[in-house]
Amino acid sequence: MPSTGHLLTASDDQPRARLLGLVGAIEPWDDLERAHLGTAARWIAGGAPLHRVRKPDVPAMHLVSYFVVLDERRGQLLLVAHRKAGLWLPAGGHVEPGEDPWAAVGRECREELGIEAVASPITGERPLFLTVTRTRGRHAHTDVSLWYLLDADARTITSYDPGEFSAIRWLTGQQVLEEPEELLDPHMHRFTRKLRHARTVGQDAWPVPAQP
């Protein structure tokens, strides 16, 4: 676990300690994720406010729960065309004050995709990946994003929040990696490679997409 010091206050040490545990349990994929994990751990332990309390950017650094939906049978991931970001991203949203990051996944999954969140057996209810990202455009801020993995049949996702997204796409891991990086979340290729690696544990390769 990255070094955090001992700066927690009595009033919020329990949720911060839990969050530090989630962060500390993530095995870094590369040097960049190792650096992001260290940044996140210092931020959490340092007593800074963690949650957005006023849209769009107060405080300037706050916690996000992403969730990447995997259709295991088809070997495909769900990406959404986010209207504000102008990029293809995983679904997700800001963690509310007092809310557990996994609870935020469940809430956002119902709101954005109309389904219940089912944790992937690969990860359970723990994040696979963490990023610290400066957003683009007006009101730029820094998102500390926990990336969760969900399990769902693509056929069960028949609608999405049109206020948030203009479209959705299902892509194989290889198709994600073939997409230009500038069209995606800047860490999407790295997440996909980490997921590919995680899925090889006990398996030979990313699944061959099933025929419709």
Side-chain angles (χ1 to χ4, degrees), residues 103-119:
V105 170
R107 173 178 55 79
E108 293 283 352
C109 193
R110 288 188 295 272
E111 292 175 359
E112 295 184 348
L113 300 178
I115 63 169
E116 293 298 317
V118 176

Side-chain angles (χ1 to χ4, degrees), residues 65-202:
S65 284
Y66 264 164
F67 52 92
V68 180
V69 182
L70 170 65
D71 184 318
E72 185 76 33
R73 187 181 73 87
R74 296 171 183 260
Q76 293 179 323
L77 302 174
L78 178 68
L79 294 181
V80 300
H82 196 277
R83 291 187 182 276
K84 289 184 180 179
L87 298 170
W88 289 93
L89 311 171
H94 296 90
V95 181
E96 300 293 340
E99 185 177 42
D100 182 82
W102 173 252
V105 170
R107 173 178 55 79
E108 293 283 352
C109 193
R110 288 188 295 272
E111 292 175 359
E112 295 184 348
L113 300 178
I115 63 169
E116 293 298 317
V118 176
S120 167
I122 298 169
T123 56
E125 297 178 3
R126 288 183 170 271
L128 176 64
F129 193 55
L130 180 141
T131 57
V132 179
T133 310
R134 185 73 176 168
T135 64
R136 308 188 312 180
R138 294 183 61 200
H139 307 294
H141 57 274
T142 300
D143 286 338
V144 178
S145 302
L146 298 166
W147 296 54
Y148 290 85
L149 187 65
L150 302 186
D151 185 33
D153 186 325
R155 294 172 297 183
T156 67
I157 299 179
T158 58
S159 63
Y160 57 86
D161 182 352
E164 292 279 347
F165 316 136
S166 59
I168 63 174
R169 297 171 69 192
W170 289 93
L171 300 174
T172 65
Q174 186 58 41
Q175 287 171 330
V176 172
L177 294 175
E178 290 171 357
E179 285 287 300
E181 290 189 359
E182 61 268 21
L183 300 183
L184 306 174
D185 178 282
H187 305 290
M188 193 68 216
H189 282 188
R190 294 174 52 246
F191 171 84
T192 302
R193 292 189 179 98
K194 187 175 186 180
L195 175 58
R196 272 185 144 178
H197 176 75
R199 296 199 76 262
T200 63
V201 178

Side-chain angles (χ1 to χ4, degrees), residues 11-30:
S11 62
D12 64 357
D13 59 350
Q14 185 172 359
R16 285 182 187 266
R18 170 168 167 71
L19 188 55
L20 281 169
L22 287 176
V23 170
I26 298 172
E27 186 69 26
W29 171 244
D30 53 19

